Amino acid sequence: MHINNNITHEIVELSEIKKAYNHYLSSYEAQQDIENYTYIVENRNTISLHLRELYTKLAIQQQAQKALNQNIRYTKYTPCSLEKSAILHFNSDNRFSITE
């Protein structure tokens, strides 16, 4: 299945940023600097929201690809003898002609 690589690339980048934020927030320095701590917590929440949106887009895209990749069955129509004779009689009748 072909999935938009741009979305997956952005998900990977944002996940790495979120991982770095979580690592910093667990450090002793972050707990001492409250202003920076709250700023990073807000950024992490924004990234989490954006990640959820991207995962939703990815799931929708995967469903669309799955629907497109379903097997298409073709059936061949075989006319019965009555239909064949009706077509032959229609074609041989001179009252019906195609004029362009």
Side-chain angles (χ1 to χ4, degrees):
M1 268 174 30
H2 175 69
I3 299 170
N4 191 353
N5 289 331
N6 193 19
I7 292 176
T8 55
H9 182 68
E10 195 171 346
I11 287 174
V12 168
E13 283 183 357
L14 289 178
S15 297
E16 289 296 319
I17 293 170
K18 185 177 175 183
K19 179 181 165 187
Y21 280 163
N22 286 334
H23 181 72
Y24 176 75
L25 290 174
S26 65
S27 70
Y28 178 76
E29 298 163 358
Q31 294 174 1
Q32 299 302 317
D33 188 10
I34 300 300
E35 185 176 328
N36 199 19
Y37 182 85
T38 55
Y39 176 72
I40 289 179
V41 167
E42 288 299 317
N43 282 348
R44 185 185 62 179
N45 293 340
T46 305
I47 287 176
S48 295
L49 284 172
H50 194 61
L51 275 172
R52 276 191 224 117
E53 291 172 3
L54 287 174
Y55 278 119
T56 304
K57 282 182 186 178
L58 187 64
I60 290 170
Q61 208 172 52
Q62 285 176 341
Q63 288 175 352
Q65 283 291 332
K66 190 175 182 181
L68 289 176
N69 289 339
Q70 289 180 347
N71 292 337
I72 299 172
R73 287 186 272 161
Y74 296 100
T75 57
K76 185 175 180 181
Y77 178 72
T78 54
C80 65
S81 62
L82 182 64
E83 290 173 332
K84 286 181 184 179
S85 68
I87 291 170
L88 289 175
H89 285 292
F90 181 80
N91 288 339
S92 65
D93 195 348
N94 292 330
R95 295 179 293 173
F96 307 108
S97 64
I98 299 173
T99 57
E100 292 184 24

